[in-house]
Amino acid sequence: FDLKGCITYINKAGGAQFRVNPSEIVGKDITDVFPPDIANQNLTAIQKVIDTKTPFYNEREMKFPFGNMWVSTRLSPVFDKEYQVVSVLGLSIDITERKQVEDALRKGEVELNEAQRLGQIGSWDFDAAMGSITRSKEYYRVYGLDPKINRNDFQEHLKTYTSESSALLDSAFKKCLKTGEGYQLDLEKTNADGTSSWITERGEVKRDDKGKIVGIRGTAQDITERKQAELEITMLAQSLKSINECVSITDMEDTI
């Protein structure tokens, strides 16, 4: 563009992107080529580049007669020997597909977080090179941790559990990284109030495109209620067994 916003050059890719013929728009004012809102936005950006002598960059969705398109735009000043701006060079890239992927990923992340909340399942991702763990929001709720004050390293993760459960997890974790064998463990943790809770933790290895193990990803689910139910059933079974033994002894005495 020249200093007045007149198009002095556009390549074939630029013409194809905006559905225009380069030979037909060179020499025209930007307001004669693009819809008013897009033209005005570009004119404002061009003037800013001229006034500040610095590049301008943004990403925005543009509405054209042929449909909407996300565009990444970079405008750079072109100087003469006296360091005066003589024109503005624009680079435009169609990023619609990338934006659609990002939007799908955001929606997927929201749905995943909601599913984890409903299922009370936290997820985590361990980077072997960094020795750090990335955790989901639900993970912190499951473990009763504050994401603002808890460090994301494996040793800190081990401290979550009792010494016996910590040793089991440490052994399974190292074996997983070494052999690629996944694991599932029921682990006991001590809460801040002195009570205990139980977590089922599952882990499986992550590999790079060459098959090398680069970390472990997994899930954590609070199974305290299930453990309590299992304990109650065990205690009930023991009570019934004791009652049956007493009845059997009484029957024998009656028989005698």
Side-chain angles (χ1 to χ4, degrees):
F1 307 98
D2 64 15
L3 301 185
K4 295 181 180 180
C6 180
I7 301 170
T8 58
Y9 170 78
I10 181 170
N11 66 3
K12 291 182 179 180
Q17 184 180 108
F18 297 112
R19 314 293 200 275
V20 295
N21 188 332
S23 63
E24 293 179 355
I25 67 170
V26 170
K28 289 187 177 182
D29 190 270
I30 193 172
T31 57
D32 296 327
V33 178
F34 295 103
D37 57 337
I38 296 175
N40 291 330
Q41 288 176 359
N42 280 320
L43 283 173
T44 300
I46 290 171
Q47 191 59 52
K48 184 177 181 180
V49 172
I50 296 171
D51 294 340
T52 63
K53 296 184 178 181
T54 58
F56 169 86
Y57 174 83
N58 79 344
E59 294 181 358
R60 66 175 183 268
E61 186 177 20
M62 297 182 177
K63 296 181 180 180
F64 293 93
F66 55 80
N68 292 4
M69 177 171 60
W70 273 92
V71 178
S72 165
T73 303
R74 181 179 179 85
L75 301 175
S76 301
V78 179
F79 302 102
D80 60 14
K81 294 180 180 180
E82 283 72 39
Y83 193 60
Q84 297 300 310
V85 178
V86 293
S87 63
V88 176
L89 177 65
L91 174 65
S92 176
I93 302 175
D94 183 348
I95 58 170
T96 305
E97 186 175 344
R98 193 198 83 193
K99 283 293 183 179
Q100 290 172 342
V101 171
E102 290 176 352
D103 186 51
L105 288 173
R106 278 194 296 270
K107 290 180 179 178
E109 184 177 359
V110 170
E111 292 174 356
L112 175 61
N113 289 336
E114 182 64 11
Q116 288 187 0
R117 185 186 68 79
L118 292 173
Q120 297 183 340
I121 301 173
S123 62
W124 51 268
D125 194 308
F126 174 74
D127 186 315
M130 300 297 294
S132 61
I133 298 178
T134 302
R135 297 154 169 162
S136 69
K137 292 181 179 179
E138 188 62 18
Y139 173 99
Y140 290 98
R141 195 204 64 76
V142 169
Y143 283 88
L145 300 175
D146 185 346
K148 296 180 180 179
I149 62 176
N150 286 277
R151 300 200 312 274
N152 291 331
D153 60 81
F154 182 61
Q155 293 304 316
E156 191 74 11
H157 181 64
L158 288 177
K159 293 178 183 178
T160 306
Y161 297 109
T162 62
S163 57
E164 182 179 352
S165 290
S166 177
L168 284 173
L169 177 59
D170 189 32
S171 176
F173 210 83
K174 290 176 180 176
K175 183 178 180 181
C176 186
L177 285 173
K178 183 177 180 179
T179 67
E181 181 181 343
Y183 64 86
Q184 177 175 328
L185 299 170
D186 288 353
L187 305 169
E188 184 180 13
K189 65 182 287 288
T190 302
N191 303 315
D193 59 3
T195 61
S196 293
S197 57
W198 285 85
I199 307 291
T200 284
E201 187 166 315
R202 300 177 179 85
E204 62 178 29
V205 294
K206 300 187 302 176
R207 299 178 184 272
D208 60 17
D209 54 3
K210 296 181 180 179
K212 179 183 177 181
I213 296 174
V214 294
I216 301 176
R217 64 167 60 92
T219 60
Q221 183 174 22
D222 191 325
I223 58 167
T224 304
E225 292 184 3
R226 193 195 82 191
K227 281 289 186 179
Q228 290 173 342
E230 290 175 353
L231 179 60
E232 290 174 1
I233 291 172
T234 300
M235 293 175 64
L236 178 60
Q238 291 175 345
S239 297
L240 290 173
K241 182 179 180 181
S242 298
I243 292 173
N244 289 333
E245 289 176 349
C246 290
V247 171
S248 297
I249 292 173
T250 302
D251 289 344
M252 289 178 63
E253 291 176 345
D254 289 346
T255 300
I256 294 171

